[in-house]
Amino acid sequence: MTESSAKSKATHGAMPKGISPSVTLLLAVACAVVSSGSYFARPLTSVIGHQIGLVPWMAGMIVTVSQLGFVAGLLLIAPLGDFLENRRLLMVALLVSSASLFCASLAQSGPTFLVACFGIGVASTAVQLLVAMAAFMSGPGKRGQVVGLVTSGLLIGMLGAWPVASVVSAAYGWRVLFAADAAVVFLFAVCLYLVLPRRRPDSEHGYVALLASLWHLLRTTGELKKRATTQACLFGAFSLFWTAVPLELRAHYAMNASQVALFGLAGASGALIAPFAGKFADRGHSHTVGIVGIVAIVIAFGTGLFAPHVWALVIAAFLLDAGVQANHVVSQRVVLSLHGQAANRLNSLYIATFFLGGALGSAIASPLYLYGWQTVAACGAAFACLGLFLRVVVHRVNPMSRIYETEGS
């Protein structure tokens, strides 16, 4: 054993022989639980705002504050994964998430609740630490499949939060919902600390240097920029759809809150495609999986555009979620494999970039819906077509993409 390899082994801890199906499932469920906490308030903003004294326009800030916290966590907290021991950092993030959720359940005023929401958003970056840990624990031959299963928890948590919040809050109140989630996140923090291996990155940079390196990585890593930009278009289409479709379901199909929640749950089933997409990526079919995923998104909006029926919207929701998740899995698999010592920073930049696309989609959804659902569907299709263009051009311009996708190196 060379001196450098000995140092690497001592720094990182023994490389895991592989990740078991049970641990993979544990990480996926943990992703769902943590990510859902940031979205529980979305269907409850009017109820929560009324009880804690927020005026209507401020109640709309509940979800926005949480999203701002998430972006702040991506840029300021997640990069610590390339500097600090990962298992301990993950536990701290989960404990902060649990504490923030518990504070939200006890909040008696608007400012207190908004501060708690910001904390929930910051701590939800634990999801990205979970994904990076899963990639580290899995071998290159199964990395796509493992990352796909774990990241499917993120989308399921985002979309499943809606029906769960509606049902639990209707039966027990929103304070019980947040308190129960706090307890569950705390249990996951303990379980994961006992199950996951230690991983201390071999980094010679301090925290300030790590943050300063973000711009350098974004500027110089062409594959990261291409993957992130493409996914930003697709996530913009995703956010556009899921922000506008409840308006369409209530206005033209007279659905109540429970029925809209069930619609969301049906659409969330599309996220189950992620492990299969990852499995095909591990076999060298990443490019095909990505293209098929984007085409599915184009078809989804075409279905909603030319077949305005509730079942057409259900099919569109399924295809949209499956397509976004499929391309995300293969893209994140590549991003996490570009540079082992910068994996958390690269992943943070990737996630932050495509969430900006999602923010744009959410922002324009309501104004576009004033001109009808067809306008929304046409815009979503345009987003997806732009993503398809970038995906195809990227692959032609950079032939190294195929090497990254096949070998994950």
Side-chain angles (χ1 to χ4, degrees), residues 385-399:
C385 287
L386 178 58
L388 181 61
F389 172 79
L390 292 173
R391 186 72 168 82
V392 173
V393 170
V394 164
H395 201 263
R396 287 181 177 173
V397 171
N398 184 13

Side-chain angles (χ1 to χ4, degrees), residues 61-389:
M61 289 293 293
I62 291 175
V63 176
T64 302
V65 167
S66 180
Q67 291 176 330
L68 291 175
F70 179 66
V71 173
L74 282 174
L75 298 178
L76 300 176
I77 306 300
L80 285 171
D82 293 329
F83 177 59
L84 300 177
E85 199 279 304
N86 283 196
R87 183 179 64 172
R88 183 175 299 174
L89 177 62
L90 175 61
M91 186 192 69
V92 171
L94 291 174
L95 291 178
V96 171
S97 176
S98 178
S100 299
L101 287 162
F102 187 68
C103 288
S105 72
L106 299 177
Q108 299 296 323
S109 66
T112 302
F113 188 81
L114 291 177
V115 170
C117 286
F118 187 82
I120 293 170
V122 170
S124 66
T125 54
V127 170
Q128 305 312 321
L129 298 174
L130 287 166
V131 173
M133 181 65 80
F136 163 72
M137 294 173 66
S138 58
K142 287 192 174 182
R143 182 166 295 145
Q145 185 177 358
V146 170
V147 169
L149 181 58
V150 174
T151 56
S152 66
L154 172 63
L155 190 58
I156 290 173
M158 289 170 58
L159 297 177
W162 196 339
V164 170
S166 299
V167 172
V168 175
S169 63
Y172 305 103
W174 62 269
R175 294 186 185 277
V176 172
L177 171 70
F178 280 90
D181 195 38
V184 173
V185 171
F186 178 82
L187 290 177
F188 269 99
V190 175
C191 291
L192 291 171
Y193 188 77
L194 296 175
V195 170
L196 297 179
R198 286 174 53 85
R199 178 180 182 251
R200 181 176 292 279
D202 185 12
S203 175
E204 298 178 356
H205 301 290
Y207 177 61
V208 175
L210 283 175
L211 294 184
S213 70
L214 290 174
W215 171 246
H216 175 75
L217 288 171
L218 181 62
R219 184 173 56 86
T220 60
T221 311
E223 194 68 23
L224 167 66
K225 288 188 287 187
K226 296 164 186 174
R227 299 282 174 177
T229 305
T230 300
Q231 191 64 18
C233 293
L234 306 185
F235 201 63
F238 174 89
S239 296
L240 176 69
F241 179 91
W242 284 107
T243 303
V245 78
L247 303 175
E248 175 71 2
L249 294 175
R250 292 189 179 102
H252 288 90
Y253 300 100
M255 286 191 178
N256 56 36
S258 298
Q259 291 171 324
V260 173
L262 289 175
F263 177 92
L265 193 60
S269 61
L272 300 177
I273 198 70
F276 302 101
K279 189 173 183 178
F280 278 106
D282 290 333
R283 294 178 178 176
H285 304 298
S286 287
H287 182 62
T288 301
V289 172
I291 294 298
V292 170
I294 301 175
V295 170
I297 299 171
V298 176
I299 295 173
F301 281 102
T303 302
L305 181 61
F306 297 109
H309 187 276
V310 67
W311 285 109
L313 292 178
V314 171
I315 294 172
F318 177 86
L319 290 174
L320 174 65
D321 292 357
V324 170
Q325 190 71 348
N327 192 75
H328 171 56
V329 167
V330 297
S331 295
Q332 191 169 42
R333 177 180 181 272
V334 171
V335 169
L336 288 170
S337 303
L338 290 175
H339 192 322
Q341 299 307 313
N344 284 283
R345 282 169 287 164
L346 291 170
N347 189 53
S348 296
L349 290 168
Y350 167 71
I351 299 293
T353 300
F354 83 66
F355 258 80
L356 289 176
L360 174 62
S362 298
I364 65 176
S366 295
L368 285 177
Y369 186 72
L370 294 175
Y371 298 94
W373 175 255
Q374 281 69 28
T375 304
V376 173
C379 184
F383 270 123
C385 287
L386 178 58
L388 181 61
F389 172 79

